[in-house]
Amino acid sequence: MTGATGFVGAAVVRELLKDGADILVLVRAQSDRSNIDGLSVEPVIGDLRDADSLRDAVAGCDAVFHVAADYRLWTPRPEDMYESNVEGSRNLVRAAAEAGAARIVYTSSVAVLGIIPGGAPGDEDTPVTLADMIGHYKRSKFLAESAVRDLADAGAPVVIVNPSAPIGPRDVKPTPTGRMVIEAASGRMPAYVDTGLNLVHVEDVAAGHMLAHRHGKIGERYVLGGQNMMLAEILGEIATLAGRKPPRVKLPHNLVMPVAAVVEGWARLTGGGEPFVTMDAVRMAKKRMFYSSARAERDLGYTARPPVDALREAVDWFRARGMLA
């Protein structure tokens, strides 16, 4: 398994351990392993960009779960994201297929799916092209899934899952969605833009991976989502959980864009980390990113709990670790 030290990956590891699996986890030498501390897994040192290390890692594995991804909405070196997400996925799936793995579960994202104007939920078959992808993260994941689908067409036993925006405990990095929870729960999001997301508990996503492994059709993809919610509703729920007042001011996208440009410029100038608001994020927010999990529910038996449970657990986890103001 790849990505075991990350947010979604750590949840998938725990789901696999419930099933009694013996798990090898691919980690880089410098990886933060706090998310898998104490778990009965065997670390194997390797890197998605090193094909030789991957061939050694997957040797003898019955199944391979490729969960790892470079999930950032901004980076000063976009080429790193393409190397990890596109070339790394191609390397890993090819190595697993050549090693004789019976099933490969590849973690894509709803970010690569089409969006229906007006807010109707999209699904696995909603038309989309590379030109529709906003930002390097979406483009890299779109190209990565395309590469994986090509390998599936060539015979690799791949099942693809497309999680929406996962929420819950153990978001150690945190992810962009987790950062939204932290900022809102800390009272640092007094305003919002008119957009929507599909939120899902990270443990439901993990259970969906297991269902895809057991029941998924080779070459098929499945949305693993939860509930479609407007951003104002999400922030209101977080504020209530954190004991704060919900934001009341709705900002037009065109007013936020110059702020994002300044913040990005400052991050480039100072060499700082990923800015909280980015120009790509504002461009994405102009559309409601709503999706349907009907195929996974019908074909896999997938279910998802109300996302307020995930938000509550996320707020409690961040608070317990002193990550909230």
Side-chain angles (χ1 to χ4, degrees):
M1 176 174 172
T2 71
T5 60
F7 180 38
V8 173
V12 175
V13 165
R14 285 170 168 80
E15 190 68 24
L16 291 170
L17 288 173
K18 289 180 192 176
D19 200 53
D22 296 322
I23 306 173
L24 299 178
V25 295
L26 183 77
V27 295
R28 288 176 293 183
Q30 70 274 25
S31 292
D32 174 5
R33 304 185 194 180
S34 58
N35 241 358
I36 55 173
D37 281 348
L39 298 184
S40 181
V41 297
E42 181 181 343
V44 178
I45 302 299
D47 192 298
L48 290 173
R49 296 165 295 185
D50 181 355
D52 289 337
S53 72
L54 300 181
R55 282 190 285 270
D56 293 339
V58 299
C61 291
D62 298 314
V64 172
F65 287 77
H66 179 32
V67 187
D70 188 337
Y71 178 24
R72 292 177 289 173
L73 298 184
W74 182 88
T75 171
R77 284 180 48 84
E79 57 269 28
D80 291 344
M81 186 172 288
Y82 290 93
E83 288 178 9
S84 294
N85 291 347
V86 184
E87 296 307 319
S89 296
R90 185 182 285 112
N91 290 341
L92 191 281
V93 172
R94 182 180 288 133
E98 291 174 353
R103 182 62 59 101
I104 304 166
V105 179
Y106 168 67
T107 308
S108 184
S109 169
V110 294
V112 309
L113 304 179
I115 296 175
I116 299 175
D123 61 20
E124 297 87 349
D125 298 323
T126 303
V128 67
T129 68
L130 179 60
D132 297 316
M133 298 294 104
I134 298 172
H136 293 294
Y137 172 70
K138 279 196 166 192
R139 281 194 287 272
S140 68
K141 288 297 286 185
F142 184 93
L143 292 171
E145 186 180 305
S146 295
V148 170
R149 289 169 73 88
D150 287 343
L151 290 170
D153 291 341
V158 179
V159 177
I160 298 170
V161 292
N162 300 78
S164 60
I167 295 287
R170 303 186 188 91
D171 192 354
V172 293
K173 197 172 183 177
T175 62
T177 316
R179 292 174 69 195
M180 176 192 71
V181 175
I182 292 172
E183 296 299 313
S186 298
R188 293 193 290 260
M189 289 187 70
Y192 62 93
V193 294
D194 182 18
T195 192
L197 300 170
N198 184 290
L199 294 190
V200 61
H201 198 299
V202 68
E203 293 173 3
D204 293 334
V205 172
H209 278 70
M210 196 60 162
L211 290 169
H213 170 253
R214 289 174 177 161
H215 309 300
K217 180 181 177 182
I218 298 297
E220 190 60 274
R221 60 179 175 179
Y222 302 91
V223 172
L224 303 180
Q227 182 175 327
N228 295 312
M229 301 175 68
M230 296 301 295
L231 180 59
E233 182 184 2
I234 296 169
L235 298 180
E237 291 282 6
I238 296 171
T240 299
L241 292 168
R244 298 185 179 275
K245 293 182 179 180
R248 301 293 185 188
V249 179
K250 182 169 71 172
L251 297 175
H253 296 88
N254 291 340
L255 183 62
V256 182
M257 186 63 80
V259 176
V262 171
V263 173
E264 276 195 28
W266 180 253
R268 290 185 185 280
L269 183 65
T270 61
E274 181 181 350
F276 175 66
V277 59
T278 68
M279 296 173 69
D280 284 341
V282 177
R283 293 186 185 102
M284 291 178 201
K286 291 182 178 181
K287 300 178 181 179
R288 297 178 182 178
M289 292 163 278
F290 288 168
Y291 301 95
S292 167
S293 302
R295 177 181 292 171
E297 293 167 5
R298 181 187 67 243
D299 296 352
L300 305 181
Y302 172 77
T303 59
R305 72 198 80 178
V308 67
D309 294 344
L311 291 170
R312 180 183 299 108
E313 291 181 37
V315 169
D316 290 346
W317 192 85
F318 288 132
R319 180 186 289 120
R321 281 148 188 81
M323 298 172 72
L324 304 184

